[in-house]
Amino acid sequence: MQSVPSQAIRPLSLNASLSSSRLPFFSFSLPIFHKFKINPSIYNKSQKVPLFLTLRCCSSGSVTAKPSSEDRRNRDVQEPDEKVVALRRLFSKPGIGIDAYIIPSQDAHQSEFIAECYMRRAYISGFTGSAGTAVVTKDKAALWTDGRYFLQAEKQLSSSWILMRAGSLGVPTTSEWLNDVLSPGGRVGIDPFLFSHDAAKELKEAISKKNLELVYLYDLNLVDEIWKESRPKPPNNPVRVHDMKYAGLDVASKLSSLRAELVGTGASAIVISMLDEVAWLLNLRGSDGPHSPVMYAYLIVEVDGAKLFVDNSKVTKEVMDHLKNASVELRPYDSILSEIRRLAAQGAQLWLDTSSVNAAIAETYKSALDKYRSNHGSKGKIKNKRYDESNGLSEGPSGVYMRSPISLAKALKNPAELEGMQNCHLRDAAALAQFWCWLEEEIHNNVELTEVDVADKLLEFRAKKEGFLDTSFDTISGSGANGAIIHYRAEIGSCSVVDPNKLFLLDSGAQYIDGTTDITRTVHFGEPTAREKECFTRVLKGHIALDQAVFPENTPGFVLDAFARSSLWKIGLDYRHGTGHGVGAALNVHEGPQSISYRYGNTTPLQKGMIVSNEPGYYEDHAFGIRIEARLVDISLISDDEIEWLNNYHSQVWEKVSPLVEGSARQWLWNNTRVIHKQ
């Protein structure tokens, strides 16, 4: 997020001879669905450099988490929440009979950015952050969110809600809390379309320890029942074909490679529910939700055919012809469960990625298979024996439960996708140069600008660039203390005026027809304090350290995370988010399976062709937030090698971006890319 051109988001190089600030191309060949293994030999402990070091606490006192009761405003006077009260009335209705209801952030496809009609957690709680889970019991309401949103949640939740700072010491998980507040025999309701199969299974097992029952409410969503007529309509925007010059590979080739994977695993079909996977595989794009060019759809690919489940009103003649050429049939979006039942009734061996496929689909398949095996098990017609989900031998089909092969194939960008990402980053860089030139001039002329004014003006500059479609996430325009709210969103009426005497953080991105950007800068329009400069410089040192890292093939991202944090750790500082995420090519701005994060559970190897962001930061609550800008650098803290890196980077920015700007913006770019000398 830090860099204006392509520096911060670039394909990873495993070749140490490549310049650290280049955006290299990599060779790409079929098969596109790669298998990989992690080589355990590269994780062996070195005899010279121990893998685990003695830890010391940088804090002078003990570390404790605030009780949840201290995380709400106006705790002594709880105001009744009409929506929560209405939701509770439904608990005792016939066919429901529950004691608690869980409202997650997701839609039926586990999307990060969802259509407004599916923003159920935001509607019921008032908290608008992208991550969080609300739980309502008959007498309590609680919301869990992670460190990116603690401050935002404090502001947005009413006194009726308990804020649970997920991951903090002493804060229970949702299942632990339910086990504590509900009596044995209690019933916990969920909409099974909104939970992945794995998440629902984990929840079911966790609450069963206290004899609580998980209840799947297939036929209605309780939040929708109280939302009623005011609920926005589902999107019906037209789907479009993603041109081959940007996609780089035709649909027939992608489907052929996928079918080879099906045969290799013994599956007869795969159910694809992740929207970016559907869009990538079929070379289609949409605009059904904010920030991501995808459409609401499911896809089932069989060995000898494929069916796309989508609202037919979104399908233009061009898209229809495109799908016919790839032998893809259309089906109504809401008919997915009936198709799952039909396939199971034929004994189909379905491949389900249970980390993403919703529990409604997985449980429907499992129930239909049980019926199929009951009807056919004694007839001796089933020759294929496989292990079922619980590793017990099962006669007949039982499903293939593995990660979707499309996830990795999509992450390994082909040359056309890499070229599109480079080109859109350069156009985006030109827009940013024009924007920063404008903003500095306005500030120096004492023009009063709100955080919303600034975000709107940036959008105006971007919208003029060729191929611009949308922002890739809500722009984070934060002055002073608002910059410390990691995913802050400025809103009219409550946002701050940009203060020239405080740090200003701008985290933004765009969707273009040929690629996706994600860029962060932090600036100060006056004289930053020594503290601000030191914190900023240590964030920069982490960025450089990660960029310059040389590592063995098959290294997972969590191994590299400490490179970005090391300089902050030396003075007892850290940040509450991962360091880098995958970025889609004209797709989701946050893309897996790879990441660079302290979360060591993700063992996906980093490979050539992947695009990963490099975004360490630092956030001082109620004071400021930091990611990258040169004026804030404390030269005394950086090495000669780091100065060389910075100068090389600025040289490339000038070389690549200056031809795309003119006038005052070109002069601004020149002023901000000059050579830095050690003092």
Side-chain angles (χ1 to χ4, degrees):
M1 289 186 178
Q2 285 80 356
S3 305
V4 176
S6 55
Q7 172 64 28
I9 303 176
R10 63 187 184 88
L12 284 164
S13 170
L14 303 181
N15 185 342
S17 66
L18 291 173
S19 168
S20 65
S21 47
R22 291 182 62 189
L23 184 60
F25 291 102
F26 299 110
S27 61
F28 183 88
S29 59
L30 291 174
I32 59 172
F33 293 91
H34 299 260
K35 290 183 170 67
F36 58 85
K37 294 181 179 179
I38 295 177
N39 182 355
S41 64
I42 67 171
Y43 302 116
N44 291 342
K45 292 184 183 179
S46 166
Q47 298 302 315
K48 296 182 178 179
V49 183
L51 182 62
F52 298 103
L53 304 177
T54 301
L55 300 180
R56 56 177 179 168
C57 182
C58 299
S59 170
S60 59
S62 60
V63 180
T64 58
K66 293 185 197 175
S68 298
S69 59
E70 293 182 24
D71 286 330
R72 295 181 298 170
R73 296 177 300 159
N74 303 322
R75 302 300 168 186
D76 296 332
V77 181
Q78 292 192 17
E79 301 173 359
D81 187 313
E82 293 182 2
K83 295 175 185 175
V84 172
V85 171
L87 186 72
R88 286 173 176 147
R89 290 196 193 105
L90 299 176
F91 286 10
S92 58
K93 289 211 165 187
I96 299 177
I98 58 174
D99 301 288
Y101 191 63
I102 303 177
I103 308 102
S105 300
Q106 287 76 19
D107 56 20
H109 305 268
Q110 303 301 302
S111 306
E112 177 182 9
F113 301 116
I114 62 178
E116 191 176 1
C117 62
Y118 301 130
M119 295 180 180
R120 300 175 174 104
R121 190 225 62 226
Y123 171 78
I124 196 69
S125 70
F127 168 64
T128 60
S130 66
T133 300
V135 181
V136 177
T137 69
K138 292 179 178 179
D139 59 356
K140 294 180 176 64
L143 181 129
W144 281 255
T145 191
D146 61 51
R148 297 171 297 170
Y149 296 106
F150 289 166
L151 298 182
Q152 180 179 343
E154 285 179 6
K155 289 184 176 182
Q156 293 183 328
L157 292 178
S158 76
S159 60
S160 297
W161 288 85
I162 304 168
L163 171 59
M164 296 292 193
R165 296 171 176 257
S168 298
L169 189 65
V171 175
T173 64
T174 54
S175 57
E176 290 170 341
W177 187 75
L178 285 167
N179 284 341
D180 182 54
V181 302
L182 296 183
S183 301
R187 289 163 52 90
V188 178
I190 65 169
D191 181 339
F193 285 94
L194 306 185
F195 286 76
S196 72
H197 174 266
D198 286 354
K201 181 181 178 183
E202 180 181 353
L203 175 63
K204 182 178 181 179
E205 292 174 351
I207 64 174
S208 67
K209 296 175 183 177
K210 294 297 289 288
N211 196 30
L212 300 179
E213 178 186 357
L214 186 63
V215 180
Y216 287 3
L217 301 174
Y218 283 89
D219 299 327
L220 78 168
N221 182 285
L222 300 192
V223 175
D224 294 350
E225 289 294 298
I226 65 170
W227 208 343
K228 297 182 178 178
E229 291 78 15
S230 62
R231 183 187 175 209
K233 300 297 182 185
N236 63 346
N237 302 315
V239 179
R240 60 182 170 85
V241 176
H242 189 52
D243 197 285
M244 264 292 293
K245 66 181 178 181
Y246 307 129
L249 198 63
D250 62 86
V251 178
S253 297
K254 292 180 179 180
L255 289 176
S256 177
S257 293
L258 179 56
R259 286 173 176 138
E261 288 286 309
L262 294 179
V263 172
T265 59
S268 51
I270 183 171
V271 180
I272 304 162
S273 63
M274 296 294 285
L275 302 185
D276 62 331
E277 293 188 5
V278 175
W280 179 85
L281 190 61
L282 297 182
N283 288 345
L284 294 175
R285 297 294 187 269
S287 56
D288 277 355
H291 313 307
S292 294
V294 296
M295 63 282 175
Y296 278 102
Y298 297 97
L299 178 65
I300 296 180
V301 178
E302 300 175 69
V303 173
D304 57 354
K307 298 181 180 70
L308 178 66
F309 298 79
V310 66
D311 183 344
N312 192 61
S313 66
K314 303 176 183 179
V315 181
T316 64
K317 184 181 184 304
E318 180 188 14
V319 170
M320 182 73 78
D321 293 341
H322 173 78
L323 293 172
K324 283 183 178 179
N325 289 338
S327 299
V328 178
E329 302 175 28
L330 288 180
R331 294 288 186 274
Y333 176 79
D334 292 332
S335 67
I336 182 65
L337 292 188
S338 62
E339 180 66 13
I340 296 295
R341 293 188 192 99
R342 188 189 71 81
L343 289 169
Q346 297 176 351
Q349 186 86 322
L350 296 187
W351 183 337
L352 303 179
D353 182 343
T354 54
S355 69
S356 58
V357 167
N358 63 56
I361 289 176
E363 288 300 313
T364 296
Y365 177 57
K366 184 178 179 181
S367 297
L369 273 189
D370 288 343
K371 183 177 180 180
Y372 173 85
R373 287 195 294 266
S374 176
N375 292 337
H376 294 80
S378 61
K379 297 181 180 180
K381 294 183 178 180
I382 308 302
K383 296 181 179 179
N384 182 31
K385 291 187 176 182
R386 299 185 64 87
Y387 283 90
D388 68 11
E389 206 175 359
S390 60
N391 294 322
L393 192 62
S394 174
E395 188 170 315
S398 56
V400 176
Y401 301 95
M402 296 169 56
R403 188 171 74 181
S404 168
I406 303 167
S407 178
L408 182 62
K410 175 170 54 65
L412 299 173
K413 307 298 185 285
N414 63 50
E417 291 172 320
L418 291 175
E419 181 179 5
M421 290 292 280
Q422 288 178 313
N423 291 339
C424 77
H425 273 81
L426 291 175
R427 299 196 303 276
D428 205 53
L432 266 292
Q434 293 165 336
F435 163 79
W436 286 117
C437 175
W438 166 83
L439 182 57
E440 284 194 3
E441 184 175 347
E442 295 293 285
I443 294 295
H444 292 155
N445 288 335
N446 297 317
V447 176
E448 184 175 283
L449 297 168
T450 68
E451 295 162 330
V452 170
D453 293 333
V454 170
D456 289 347
K457 190 65 176 183
L458 174 57
L459 177 59
E460 182 181 319
F461 280 112
R462 276 192 166 122
K464 295 176 182 178
K465 297 304 176 186
E466 180 184 357
F468 175 82
L469 299 172
D470 192 5
T471 53
S472 58
F473 54 94
D474 287 322
T475 296
I476 301 169
S477 173
S479 178
N482 289 339
I485 304 173
I486 298 173
H487 278 197
Y488 171 72
R489 180 180 179 181
E491 296 181 343
I492 295 174
S494 61
C495 66
S496 298
V497 171
V498 176
D499 188 335
N501 297 311
K502 294 180 180 178
L503 286 175
F504 174 67
L505 184 147
L506 186 74
D507 187 350
S508 69
Q511 292 286 359
Y512 294 91
I513 196 167
D514 52 347
T516 305
T517 70
D518 179 351
I519 295 152
T520 305
R521 303 288 274 183
T522 305
V523 301
H524 199 296
F525 301 103
E527 281 299 321
T529 66
R531 167 72 171 178
E532 291 168 339
K533 293 180 73 171
E534 178 179 11
C535 291
F536 178 90
T537 305
R538 290 186 179 278
V539 171
L540 173 62
K541 288 168 73 69
H543 179 94
I544 295 173
L546 181 57
D547 184 83
Q548 293 182 326
V550 178
F551 49 90
E553 289 191 62
N554 295 321
T555 298
F558 75 82
V559 175
L560 304 180
D561 185 71
F563 283 78
R565 300 178 191 269
S566 178
S567 184
L568 287 168
W569 284 351
K570 289 178 180 177
I571 59 169
L573 304 181
D574 203 351
Y575 47 95
R576 296 187 299 248
H577 58 72
T579 297
H581 57 82
V583 182
L587 272 174
N588 291 354
V589 70
H590 299 131
E591 178 183 84
Q594 77 280 10
S595 69
I596 298 175
S597 173
Y598 55 87
R599 298 178 181 90
Y600 54 83
N602 187 347
T603 57
T604 303
L606 299 176
Q607 300 182 51
K608 291 182 179 181
M610 288 179 169
I611 297 177
V612 184
S613 66
N614 177 357
E615 46 185 313
Y618 176 66
Y619 312 89
E620 199 148 290
D621 287 358
H622 310 292
F624 58 81
I626 286 174
R627 296 199 275 277
I628 301 294
E629 196 265 341
R631 184 179 303 171
L632 283 159
V633 176
D634 184 340
I635 299 298
S636 67
L637 292 178
I638 61 177
S639 67
D640 291 341
D641 285 345
E642 290 165 336
I643 289 177
E644 182 181 4
W645 181 96
L646 200 54
N647 286 332
N648 287 338
Y649 167 64
H650 285 157
S651 175
Q652 290 193 62
V653 171
W654 174 255
E655 176 187 342
K656 296 175 181 179
V657 181
S658 63
L660 304 178
V661 293
E662 57 187 18
S664 58
R666 185 180 173 89
Q667 183 60 49
W668 178 91
L669 191 65
W670 171 254
N671 293 339
N672 284 274
T673 55
R674 288 181 294 185
V675 174
I676 296 175
H677 297 285
K678 190 82 170 181
Q679 294 176 346

